[in-house]
Amino acid sequence: MVLYIWRHPKPIAANGFCIGQTDINVDKRKIKRLANKIQRFTRLHQLPKVIWVSPLQRSLKVGQILVQRGFHCQVSPELAEIDFGEWDGRPWEQIAKQEIDDWCDNFADFAPDNGESLQELFDRVEGWLNKASAVQDNTSILAVGHAGWITAAKMIEAGQSVPKIAADWSRPVSYQQRSRLDFHPKKLAIYDDQSL
């Protein structure tokens, strides 16, 4: 299975906030721009017109535009960003410094109240990749996802364990950037792709 996954467009007014599964708006023009990129890529490479998205509107709305252009849209909760629980949607400055320090010191297993740990995110990402690969082993899948999800997939590909400290977390992919994952049950290979 080959997965082409684009990071969603940049949300409106997200700077300074802890944004995981908070459903935040994106400029309609940016959503349309990403839909245009995906449509051109699909046409150029003669890929199936099926797009996988998370239920978060910064991903979902891209899929909804593509549906109007003849795509089939699959919504998968497993593609959502990490759940920051009680932190989600709050300004970083309003989150207690000690809680953030605890998270940075125990990066893999710490979860904010009612939230998800990084280990749980990795398990969810790997589970979705395995499930998608079992169903569509020799085909390409198109998706619109989130930075944390994509970063976790890249670390899984590299054979890295879940980071124990925040300093070991990789830089996120850029908004609207496409990544390619060649996924097989025993091997993942990922390439960042800036073309098109």
Side-chain angles (χ1 to χ4, degrees):
M1 174 193 82
V2 176
L3 173 64
Y4 295 102
I5 186 164
W6 286 260
R7 185 180 179 190
H8 61 79
K10 185 176 182 177
I12 296 170
N15 289 345
F17 288 84
C18 176
I19 304 296
Q21 293 191 9
T22 298
D23 217 0
I24 191 164
N25 282 323
V26 175
D27 183 293
K28 291 178 184 177
R29 291 168 297 181
K30 291 180 180 179
I31 291 170
K32 189 174 181 180
R33 233 175 269 141
L34 181 54
N36 291 343
K37 282 184 181 183
I38 294 169
Q39 185 177 19
R40 280 193 306 272
F41 183 82
T42 302
R43 188 180 313 125
L44 180 65
H45 296 283
Q46 300 179 347
L47 298 173
K49 291 173 79 172
V50 177
I51 188 74
W52 286 83
V53 298
S54 86
L56 301 172
Q57 61 182 313
R58 55 195 188 265
S59 174
L60 178 64
K61 286 186 175 183
V62 178
Q64 289 170 339
I65 288 176
L66 289 169
V67 165
Q68 296 169 6
R69 300 174 184 182
F71 278 69
H72 180 70
C73 183
Q74 297 278 349
V75 181
S76 176
E78 292 95 340
L79 283 170
E81 185 59 284
I82 191 167
D83 184 352
F84 283 112
E86 300 297 321
W87 293 5
D88 228 309
R90 291 175 53 200
W92 282 107
E93 64 187 25
Q94 290 182 9
I95 300 168
K97 182 184 180 314
Q98 186 57 56
E99 287 185 63
I100 294 173
D101 289 346
D102 292 345
W103 175 42
C104 291
D105 292 340
N106 185 16
F107 204 52
D109 298 313
F110 178 88
D113 289 342
N114 300 313
E116 181 177 36
S117 71
L118 197 57
Q119 179 64 61
E120 290 169 320
L121 173 66
F122 269 62
D123 293 344
R124 178 161 51 88
V125 170
E126 192 165 21
W128 189 89
L129 290 168
N130 282 324
K131 185 169 63 172
S133 179
V135 173
Q136 301 188 234
D137 188 35
N138 293 317
T139 59
S140 296
I141 294 177
L142 309 174
V144 178
H146 304 270
W149 197 100
I150 296 167
T151 300
K154 288 182 175 194
M155 295 184 85
I156 292 167
E157 175 271 325
Q160 297 172 347
S161 57
V162 181
K164 302 294 183 201
I165 58 171
D168 293 335
W169 186 246
S170 302
R171 282 189 61 144
V173 296
S174 300
Y175 292 107
Q176 300 191 39
Q177 179 177 328
R178 183 181 68 235
S179 296
R180 174 184 164 149
L181 289 81
D182 292 318
F183 184 75
H184 307 284
K186 296 184 181 183
K187 176 68 178 155
L188 253 179
I190 299 181
Y191 312 92
D192 279 332
D193 191 342
Q194 293 290 342
S195 64
L196 295 176

